[in-house]
């Protein structure tokens, strides 16, 4: 859903996905971290962690997401 005319400062797809993650996790302050994750972490792991967070009732979605990404990258889940 990347539109280069509408998204002026976003030139790559992974940047758009990183912004999407920050919006879903309600963590706009750290959007650069999510852009970096979208670039280096496999998309399947990000999707799995995001679906886990959406299904949970957590006070901080961002912290839960970071915890789940750590577990998935270690191969514990």
């Amino acid at each position: 859903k990347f539109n280069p005319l509408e998204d002026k400062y976003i030139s790559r797809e992974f940047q758009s996905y990183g912004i999407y993650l920050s919006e879903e996790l309600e963590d706009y302050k750290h959007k650069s971290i999510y852009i970096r994750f979208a670039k280096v972490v496999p998309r399947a792991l990000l999707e799995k962690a995001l679906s886990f967070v959406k299904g949970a009732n957590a006070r901080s979605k961002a912290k839960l997401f970071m915890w789940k990404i750590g577990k998935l990258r270690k191969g514990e889940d």
Side-chain angles (χ1 to χ4, degrees):
K1 297 180 184 178
F2 173 67
N3 183 359
L5 298 176
E6 186 177 299
D7 303 324
K8 290 182 186 178
Y9 301 108
I10 300 173
S11 61
R12 306 273 192 261
E13 189 276 332
F14 69 87
Q15 293 171 329
S16 177
Y17 188 72
I19 299 292
Y20 167 75
L21 283 176
S22 71
E23 290 173 352
E24 288 292 315
L25 298 172
E26 300 168 6
D27 189 18
Y28 307 107
K29 185 177 176 183
H30 300 108
K31 62 185 166 194
S32 62
I33 293 172
Y34 300 112
I35 291 172
R36 181 71 178 162
F37 276 165
K39 186 176 182 179
V40 290
V41 177
R43 191 63 54 94
L45 294 180
L46 294 174
E47 288 291 330
K48 189 181 278 191
L50 185 62
S51 67
F52 177 78
V53 171
K54 283 184 178 180
N57 187 16
R59 285 185 281 154
S60 176
K61 293 180 182 179
K63 286 182 182 180
L64 187 61
F65 180 80
M66 295 296 181
W67 174 81
K68 189 64 176 178
I69 283 292
K71 290 283 195 182
L72 292 172
R73 289 180 85 180
K74 289 179 183 175
E76 293 179 12
D77 193 23

